[in-house]
C-alpha cells in the first residue's frame, strides 16, 4: 500500500522568528479517530480490511493501545483524519470494531532535521536548503552560505539533535589552505563538544587525527580507492603530499612499497601513527619534508636503498610456532618509483618542474636497458566545469606543458606526451577537481639542465 501524502496538520508548527532553539515549541495534538479491535487476534485481518483508511505516516505506528469508556485496555488502529465514521458503519454494525476519539501527540523528537528546519527558515531561503555537510568521525563540518549564517546556531543545534553519531558541529570560515600551506582551515564551533580528535575508518584502515590541524576530505574516498587500485603489489609509489595517509596506508595493505611524505608536522605524526596502527610499516616509510625537494631526494634515496619484505601465509599460532613458519614469497622494492601522487590540487601542478632532469644521465635504469619504465605522475588540480570537460582537458594539459617545458595533449597515459584527465568531483558551482595522469616523458626526465644534476 502506498503512503498517503502527509497533510499539513502533521507538519511541525512554524516559527520563522526563532533564533535560539526552543524544543518545547514543537508540540502538536492532532484529533483523530481510532478503530478499536475487539479481538486482538484479528488485528492483521482488520488492517487489511481498513486498508486505505489507515493512517500511514513514517515513524507513526498505526497500532496503538487505548482504553475504552470502561477503562479496559485494547488495541486500536489509527485512521486518517479524512475518514468519516459512516464510512466504517458496516464494521461497526457487525460489532467487529468500535470507534474512539484519539489525540495523536507529536513533539520535537518526532520530526526530522528537514521538517524542523523547514519550519524555522524563511520560505525564500529553502530553495537551496543547507542539508549537505561532511562528516569526519564525530564532527559535522558545515560550509554555510552567507544567507544561512543568521541561522547557523539553529541549524547546528537541530543537526546535532537529529544525528546521534555527531557530537560536534563546526562551520568553515575560510577556504582550505587560505591561511597556511598545510591545507587546514579556520572554523567556528556552532554546537556540541569542542573535541576535534576523530577516528576515521576508510578502506578497512583506521586513522586518528586532530581534524583542526590536518587535512581530510571524506568525499575523496572514491578517488583514494581509484588510484590505490592502480598500484600492483611490489611496485614503489612516492606520495609527495600524503596527508594522514589515505593513499599510502591502503596501498601498503596491498603490499605496495610507499614513500609517504607531508610537510605538516601534525599530518606526519598522524601518518606515522596510521602506518603503525594498520601494521603496514614493512611497506610504508614516512617523511616530514618539503614536497618539492622530496621528489628528487626520495628518488635518489630509493636508488640507494635495498628493501625486501618476506610474505607469510596466515596460520594459527596455536597450530604452528612463529619460528617455524617459512615465507611463501619475498617482495623486493624497485630502485625507481612506478608512480608519484601529488594530491595538493590548489598548487600541485607547480611542483612538476622538479621532475625535469630527475633521471638525467641515468638512462640505463629504464627501458630498453631494463624492464623499468619512467614513472606515472598523478597530479590533482582544480579547473572550471563544462558538460564534457573537453575545454578543461585542454587547459590542464596546457598548464602541465608549461611546467614541464614539453608539449602534453589529452589522451592515453601510456602514450608519451599524452595526459589522461580524470573528473574527480565538483567542489563548487563553477569549480571541479581533476586528476591529470601521465607517464613522465623521456625528454623531460632525462633532460640535462644547467646547474642541476639528476639523482
Amino acid at each position: 500500500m502506498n503512503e498517503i501524502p502527509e497533510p499539513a496538520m502533521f507538519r511541525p508548527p512554524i516559527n520563522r522568528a526563532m533564533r535560539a532553539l526552543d524544543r518545547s515549541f514543537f508540540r502538536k495534538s492532532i484529533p483523530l479517530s481510532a478503530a478499536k479491535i475487539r479481538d486482538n487476534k484479528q488485528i492483521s485481518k482488520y488492517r487489511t480490511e481498513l486498508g486505505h483508511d489507515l493512517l500511514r505516516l513514517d515513524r507513526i505506528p498505526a497500532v496503538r493501545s487505548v482504553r475504552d469508556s470502561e477503562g479496559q485496555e485494547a488495541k486500536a488502529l489509527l485512521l486518517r483524519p479524512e475518514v468519516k465514521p459512516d464510512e466504517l458503519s458496516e464494521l461497526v454494525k457487525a460489532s467487529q470494531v468500535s470507534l474512539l476519539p484519539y489525540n495523536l501527540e507529536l513533539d520535537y523528537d518526532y520530526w526530522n532535521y528537514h521538517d524542523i528546519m523547514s519550519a524555522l527558515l524563511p520560505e525564500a531561503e529553502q530553495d537551496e536548503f543547507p542539508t549537505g555537510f561532511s562528516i569526519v568521525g564525530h564532527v559535522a563540518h558545515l560550509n554555510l552560505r552567507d544567507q544561512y549564517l543568521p541561522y547557523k546556531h539553529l541549524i547546528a543545534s537541530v543537526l546535532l539533535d537529529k544525528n546521534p553519531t555527531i557530537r560536534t558541529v563546526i562551520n568553515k570560515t575560510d577556504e582550505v589552505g587560505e591561511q597556511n600551506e598545510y591545507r587546514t582551515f579556520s572554523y567556528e564551533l556552532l554546537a556540541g563538544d569542542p573535541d576535534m580528535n576523530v577516528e576515521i575508518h576508510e578502506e578497512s584502515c583506521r586513522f586518528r587525527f586532530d581534524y583542526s590541524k590536518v587535512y581530510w576530505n571524506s568525499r575523496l574516498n572514491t578517488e583514494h580507492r581509484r588510484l590505490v587500485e592502480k598500484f600492483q603489489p611490489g611496485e614503489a609509489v612516492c606520495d609527495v603530499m600524503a596527508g594522514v595517509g589515505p593513499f599510502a596506508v591502503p596501498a601498503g595493505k596491498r603490499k605496495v612499497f610507499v614513500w609517504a611524505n607531508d610537510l605538516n608536522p601534525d599530518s606526519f605524526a598522524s601518518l606515522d601513527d596510521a602506518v603503525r596502527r594498520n601494521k603496514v610499516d614493512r611497506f610504508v616509510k614516512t617523511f616530514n619534508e618539503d614536497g618539492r625537494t622530496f621528489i628528487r631526494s626520495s628518488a635518489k634515496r630509493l636508488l640507494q636503498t635495498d628493501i625486501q619484505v618476506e610474505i607469510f601465509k596466515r596460520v594459527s599460532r596455536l597450530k604452528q610456532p612463529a619460528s617455524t613458519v617459512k615465507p611463501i614469497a619475498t617482495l623486493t622494492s624497485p630502485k625507481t618509483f612506478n608512480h608519484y601522487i601529488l594530491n595538493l590540487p590548489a598548487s600541485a601542478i607547480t611542483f612538476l618542474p622538479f621532475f625535469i632532469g630527475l633521471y638525467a644521465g641515468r638512462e640505463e635504469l629504464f627501458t630498453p636497458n631494463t624492464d623499468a619504465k619512467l614513472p606515472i605522475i598523478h597530479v590533482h588540480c582544480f579547473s572550471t566545469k563544462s558538460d564534457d570537460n573537453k575545454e578543461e582537458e585542454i587547459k590542464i594539459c596546457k598548464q602541465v606543458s608549461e611546467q614541464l617545458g614539453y608539449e602534453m595533449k589529452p589522451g592515453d597515459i601510456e602514450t608519451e606526451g599524452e595526459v589522461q584527465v580524470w573528473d574527480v568531483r565538483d567542489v563548487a558551482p563553477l569549480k571541479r577537481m581533476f586528476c591529470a595522469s601521465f607517464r613522465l616523458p623521456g625528454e623531460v626526465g632525462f633532460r640535462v639542465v644547467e646547474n642541476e644534476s639528476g639523482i
Side-chain angles (χ1 to χ4, degrees):
M1 181 69 67
N2 294 330
E3 294 287 323
I4 305 299
E6 182 177 332
M9 68 172 61
F10 293 101
R11 296 172 192 153
I14 293 172
N15 186 341
R16 306 201 189 281
M18 188 181 294
R19 291 296 178 269
L21 182 61
D22 179 6
R23 297 168 182 82
S24 65
F25 174 80
F26 296 96
R27 296 182 182 278
K28 211 168 194 182
S29 182
I30 303 170
L32 299 173
S33 295
K36 189 184 77 169
I37 309 300
R38 299 190 185 280
D39 183 355
N40 288 348
K41 295 179 181 180
Q42 301 297 314
I43 290 178
S44 179
K45 172 187 173 182
Y46 292 122
R47 286 188 74 142
T48 301
E49 288 193 25
L50 290 168
H52 184 75
D53 295 323
L54 290 181
L55 181 68
R56 298 180 182 274
L57 288 177
D58 289 340
R59 307 182 305 283
I60 296 182
V63 180
R64 296 298 177 103
S65 293
V66 297
R67 291 189 180 276
D68 57 21
S69 57
E70 298 176 357
Q72 297 297 312
E73 186 172 312
K75 296 296 183 184
L77 296 171
L78 296 186
L79 304 176
R80 291 190 298 115
E82 298 86 354
V83 175
K84 303 294 188 291
D86 57 1
E87 295 178 14
L88 303 179
S89 58
E90 293 302 320
L91 289 175
V92 174
K93 285 179 181 179
S95 298
Q96 295 170 326
V97 303
S98 57
L99 294 182
L100 297 173
Y102 186 93
N103 285 327
L104 178 64
E105 305 293 339
L106 300 180
D107 61 16
Y108 177 80
D109 291 338
Y110 166 69
W111 290 290
N112 60 30
Y113 168 79
H114 190 276
D115 294 332
I116 298 295
M117 295 314 305
S118 294
L120 296 176
L121 293 178
E123 289 183 277
E125 303 296 351
Q126 296 195 19
D127 289 341
E128 298 180 5
F129 203 72
T131 55
F133 53 89
S134 297
I135 297 179
V136 180
H138 64 269
V139 177
H141 175 189
L142 301 174
N143 188 11
L144 293 174
R145 296 184 179 182
D146 291 345
Q147 65 263 38
Y148 296 113
L149 293 179
Y151 316 98
K152 61 187 179 182
H153 293 292
L154 275 178
I155 292 169
S157 296
V158 178
L159 195 62
L160 195 66
D161 288 342
K162 301 303 179 179
N163 294 272
T165 61
I166 293 173
R167 302 201 315 268
T168 305
V169 182
I170 63 172
N171 183 49
K172 185 169 69 173
T173 57
D174 65 17
E175 293 300 318
V176 172
E178 188 176 273
Q179 300 298 324
N180 62 68
E181 57 188 334
Y182 294 159
R183 289 189 287 179
T184 55
F185 58 90
S186 297
Y187 68 92
E188 57 180 334
L189 177 69
L190 297 183
D193 189 341
D195 179 21
M196 295 288 279
N197 290 288
V198 301
E199 180 169 318
I200 300 293
H201 295 258
E202 182 174 288
E203 299 302 307
S204 301
C205 300
R206 285 194 303 154
F207 301 90
R208 287 184 179 176
F209 50 85
D210 184 334
Y211 186 41
S212 68
K213 296 180 179 179
V214 307
Y215 176 79
W216 178 273
N217 190 335
S218 299
R219 292 171 177 167
L220 291 175
N221 178 211
T222 301
E223 176 65 1
H224 298 155
R225 184 187 306 121
R226 183 186 74 88
L227 279 189
V228 169
E229 288 178 349
K230 292 182 178 294
F231 309 148
Q232 302 303 311
E235 287 189 330
V237 173
C238 183
D239 193 353
V240 181
M241 305 96 169
V244 301
F247 291 109
V249 176
K253 285 207 166 190
R254 288 172 62 91
K255 300 179 176 60
V256 176
F257 295 99
V258 185
W259 288 39
N261 172 72
D262 203 89
L263 179 63
N264 182 350
D266 292 297
S267 291
F268 169 72
S270 297
L271 169 64
D272 205 45
D273 174 78
V275 168
R276 289 182 280 103
R277 185 178 301 280
N278 292 282
K279 300 178 181 178
V280 294
D281 49 300
R282 294 192 302 161
F283 287 95
V284 183
K285 295 170 65 70
T286 59
F287 303 86
N288 180 210
E289 302 178 18
D290 183 283
R292 297 171 180 83
T293 57
F294 185 71
I295 289 170
R296 302 181 78 86
S297 66
S298 59
K300 184 175 182 178
R301 280 179 280 181
L302 178 62
L303 194 59
Q304 300 167 347
T305 303
D306 295 319
I307 305 175
Q308 287 190 329
V309 175
E310 293 180 329
I311 308 300
F312 295 89
K313 185 178 180 180
R314 287 189 177 182
V315 295
S316 171
R317 293 182 180 179
L318 298 177
K319 292 182 178 180
Q320 189 173 359
S323 60
T324 66
V325 178
K326 297 186 181 301
I328 59 174
T330 299
L331 289 179
T332 300
S333 171
K335 290 295 186 176
T336 59
F337 289 111
N338 302 93
H339 298 264
Y340 280 84
I341 308 171
L342 284 76
N343 180 31
L344 189 66
S347 61
I349 281 183
T350 66
F351 285 59
L352 293 180
F354 289 86
F355 288 95
I356 299 174
L358 180 64
Y359 290 107
R362 302 308 301 264
E363 287 86 347
E364 79 278 2
L365 296 172
F366 300 96
T367 184
N369 304 299
T370 70
D371 292 333
K373 296 180 180 181
L374 283 163
I376 295 175
I377 300 169
H378 308 278
V379 55
H380 291 91
C381 58
F382 294 127
S383 190
T384 53
K385 291 172 58 174
S386 65
D387 292 338
D388 59 6
N389 290 328
K390 296 299 182 185
E391 179 183 348
E392 286 70 29
E393 289 178 0
I394 293 171
K395 286 181 183 177
I396 291 168
C397 287
K398 183 180 179 182
Q399 290 178 289
V400 172
S401 301
E402 290 171 350
Q403 296 295 328
L404 295 178
Y406 184 84
E407 186 178 8
M408 305 290 286
K409 298 180 179 180
D412 181 72
I413 293 176
E414 292 299 341
T415 301
E416 183 161 307
E418 292 188 356
V419 182
Q420 179 196 68
V421 179
W422 182 264
D423 180 349
V424 177
R425 61 181 290 264
D426 289 354
V427 295
L430 300 175
K431 189 176 181 181
R432 185 169 282 161
M433 179 178 173
F434 294 90
C435 179
S437 298
F438 59 92
R439 192 172 292 281
L440 182 65
E443 199 284 326
V444 176
F446 300 135
R447 186 185 306 168
V448 177
V449 183
E450 188 177 353
N451 299 322
E452 288 282 350
S453 62
I455 63 172

